[in-house]
Amino acid sequence: MDISKKVQEQMENSSWIRRMFEQGIELKKTHGEKNVFDLSLGNPIVNPPKKFFEILRDLSNSKDKNVHKYMPNAGFYEVREEIAKSISKESGLPFKASDIVMTVGAAGAINTLFRSILDPGDEVIIISPFFAEYIFYIEHQNGNYRICDSDENWMPNLKNLENIIGEKTKAILINSPNNPSGVIYSKEILEKMSSIIKNAEKKYSTSIYLISDEPYRKIIYSNNDYPFIYQYHERSVVATSHSKDLGLAGERIGYIAVNPSYNNKIKLIDAIIFSLRTLGFVNAPALMQRVVAKLQDEVVDVNIYRKKRDLLYENLIKIGYDCVKPDGAFYLFPKSPIPNDEEFVKILQKELVLVVPGIGFGTKGFFRASYCVEDWVIEGSLDGFNQVLKQINS
Ligand SMILES: Cc1ncc(COP(=O)(O)O)c(C=O)c1O
């Protein structure tokens, strides 16, 4: 075989994503762009804040030629200092520039972290429903994954977590606000997870990381405080990006923040910097580092997403779909009206509405509908959702 057997297998396991994407293109060609209601993608629709464009313009006029050269692999010191200041303010913890490593988006951050901590055979626990790419990130970086399921409110099933955590567990990866369910993990859940981790560490004499993937941290609709993981587990690390909160997904800018009170953080950060370099990222994009350093107090207009959430959620509930109301991110994860979610997605496609089957997030019997689309797409999809439910119930 010309390509890696492992990659071939991984591509086959994720082939429905490609299939859906291709079918979407075909449908749009046949029926016209405006007649297909595509809720399958998570591409941020809200533009970056106005200040982003001003800063970009100012920086492009800068006479400082040195800023285009190689830099310390962790990123510009003054950028990391700005990020540290900003998350210290939010979390109340004393972050320093040295606790931060700038990365190529959240995806680059997670891969870099896994490369730094995993040996072959180590296990990472992920919570279903999960962002499908996690499996490949873990496998690419030597690890094996185990899946912990969730309860009916999409909170981790702690009994299940207790059962699967073991001597090979190296990390637990959480994602809140969650893609695809949109839920935010509560303080109580984090407290309980932390005590399960501590018990396992004691039982097996191991060290377990709690990693939080937080690209949607600022896209939240509830007034509750966002619980940061640092206070719940000492060996904790956040991987995040400005793909969603500043609408910069294509610019590939993110960072890793290591708990300032983790006693072995210097060794971990050295490993992260080495991995970032040798995975070929070398450093995060220079221009974007300098831009986001000046945008730490900014966020896209979350109200736009809130209105879209309400429009889709309220209408789907009215039509008769069953769905946990999300508090963040920009997805709904309703129950499929028939047990086979892939079949449901195909039926819905006949009405020219595109969503993603729950199986793609490790959770059969549900589907993900993304509402980061123009309002006409949400409005146009409703008739299809209605027709299909009527058809199924008739
Ligand atoms: C849960 C989750 N983690 C990570 C990523 C990757 O983010 P980035 O574009 O910053 O690499 C995404 C992107 O959609 C995501 O939904």
Side-chain angles (χ1 to χ4, degrees), residues 105-108 110 131 134 175 179 213 215-216 241 243-244 249 252 331:
I110 302 167
F131 177 52
Y134 287 163
N175 167 226
N179 174 9
D213 174 28
Y216 303 95
S241 73
S243 296
K244 326 285 174 175
R252 314 305 306 133
Y331 312 101

Side-chain angles (χ1 to χ4, degrees), residues 137-182:
Y137 299 166
I138 295 166
E139 289 181 344
H140 282 335
Q141 309 306 340
N142 286 322
N144 297 324
Y145 66 91
R146 299 208 63 176
I147 300 175
C148 167
D149 62 8
S150 293
D151 66 17
E152 65 283 3
N153 293 314
W154 301 128
M155 292 292 155
N157 174 347
L158 299 171
K159 270 268 152 283
N160 189 203
L161 182 63
E162 265 177 331
N163 288 338
I164 63 173
I165 199 166
E167 59 186 330
K168 291 186 180 161
T169 307
K170 193 63 191 270
I172 298 178
L173 174 62
I174 60 171
N175 167 226
S176 163
N178 183 266
N179 174 9
S181 72

Side-chain angles (χ1 to χ4, degrees), residues 151-215:
D151 66 17
E152 65 283 3
N153 293 314
W154 301 128
M155 292 292 155
N157 174 347
L158 299 171
K159 270 268 152 283
N160 189 203
L161 182 63
E162 265 177 331
N163 288 338
I164 63 173
I165 199 166
E167 59 186 330
K168 291 186 180 161
T169 307
K170 193 63 191 270
I172 298 178
L173 174 62
I174 60 171
N175 167 226
S176 163
N178 183 266
N179 174 9
S181 72
V183 301
I184 298 175
Y185 291 175
S186 63
K187 287 183 185 142
E188 293 69 32
I189 286 288
L190 293 179
E191 255 159 29
K192 286 179 186 158
M193 283 182 89
S194 137
S195 115
I196 293 171
I197 295 173
K198 282 189 184 74
N199 289 342
E201 286 178 327
K202 216 193 262 161
K203 182 167 171 192
Y204 301 109
S205 302
T206 52
S207 303
I208 299 173
Y209 284 98
L210 179 60
I211 301 173
S212 180
D213 174 28
E214 301 180 0

Side-chain angles (χ1 to χ4, degrees), residues 42-325:
N43 206 355
I45 191 174
V46 180
N47 279 331
K50 205 166 128 239
K51 207 168 152 196
F52 167 80
F53 299 97
E54 291 161 11
I55 294 167
L56 203 54
R57 217 172 299 121
D58 288 350
L59 287 176
S60 70
N61 290 329
S62 161
K63 299 277 177 289
D64 186 350
K65 296 272 189 304
N66 287 323
V67 293
H68 302 294
K69 297 179 179 170
Y70 286 124
M71 68 186 79
N73 300 108
F76 292 118
Y77 183 82
E78 57 283 10
V79 172
R80 293 154 64 213
E81 209 170 30
E82 279 309 313
I83 305 248
K85 251 193 253 165
S86 161
I87 54 177
S88 297
K89 202 161 84 188
E90 270 187 289
S91 66
L93 296 168
F95 281 91
K96 295 207 187 84
S98 55
D99 300 320
I100 311 297
V101 177
M102 301 306 294
T103 63
V104 180
I110 302 167
N111 271 282
T112 303
L113 258 176
F114 285 157
R115 178 55 121 208
S116 309
I117 63 171
L118 297 179
D119 278 314
D122 282 346
E123 289 179 354
V124 178
I125 295 178
I126 52 180
I127 321 274
S128 65
F130 51 79
F131 177 52
E133 304 289 80
Y134 287 163
I135 288 181
F136 308 122
Y137 299 166
I138 295 166
E139 289 181 344
H140 282 335
Q141 309 306 340
N142 286 322
N144 297 324
Y145 66 91
R146 299 208 63 176
I147 300 175
C148 167
D149 62 8
S150 293
D151 66 17
E152 65 283 3
N153 293 314
W154 301 128
M155 292 292 155
N157 174 347
L158 299 171
K159 270 268 152 283
N160 189 203
L161 182 63
E162 265 177 331
N163 288 338
I164 63 173
I165 199 166
E167 59 186 330
K168 291 186 180 161
T169 307
K170 193 63 191 270
I172 298 178
L173 174 62
I174 60 171
N175 167 226
S176 163
N178 183 266
N179 174 9
S181 72
V183 301
I184 298 175
Y185 291 175
S186 63
K187 287 183 185 142
E188 293 69 32
I189 286 288
L190 293 179
E191 255 159 29
K192 286 179 186 158
M193 283 182 89
S194 137
S195 115
I196 293 171
I197 295 173
K198 282 189 184 74
N199 289 342
E201 286 178 327
K202 216 193 262 161
K203 182 167 171 192
Y204 301 109
S205 302
T206 52
S207 303
I208 299 173
Y209 284 98
L210 179 60
I211 301 173
S212 180
D213 174 28
E214 301 180 0
Y216 303 95
R217 171 158 58 87
K218 293 186 179 170
I219 315 280
I220 58 179
Y221 312 118
S222 58
N223 294 325
N224 301 343
D225 285 344
Y226 179 84
F228 287 93
I229 54 163
Y230 310 108
Q231 66 222 66
Y232 300 98
H233 188 60
E234 187 198 302
R235 199 172 291 97
S236 56
V237 186
V238 164
T240 190
S241 73
H242 292 297
S243 296
K244 326 285 174 175
D245 63 14
L246 293 176
L248 298 177
E251 301 295 349
R252 314 305 306 133
I253 187 72
Y255 63 86
I256 290 169
V258 176
N259 188 349
S261 50
Y262 171 38
N263 69 0
N264 215 0
K265 68 177 180 180
I266 295 179
K267 208 165 183 184
L268 174 65
I269 292 165
D270 279 351
I272 290 170
I273 295 170
F274 171 81
S275 301
L276 182 87
R277 188 182 92 219
T278 53
L279 277 169
F281 293 127
V282 183
N283 57 252
L287 178 61
M288 280 305 134
Q289 285 192 41
R290 295 161 66 220
V291 174
V292 299
K294 295 178 193 297
L295 287 172
Q296 286 304 302
D297 292 331
E298 298 279 328
V299 63
V300 292
D301 186 349
V302 175
N303 243 334
I304 299 178
Y305 286 128
R306 183 200 306 271
K307 283 188 192 139
K308 290 180 190 294
R309 175 202 59 172
D310 292 345
L311 180 64
L312 187 58
Y313 174 79
E314 279 159 20
N315 276 293
L316 287 191
I317 296 293
K318 214 186 286 167
I319 292 171
Y321 286 85
D322 182 4
C323 181
V324 174
K325 189 171 186 178

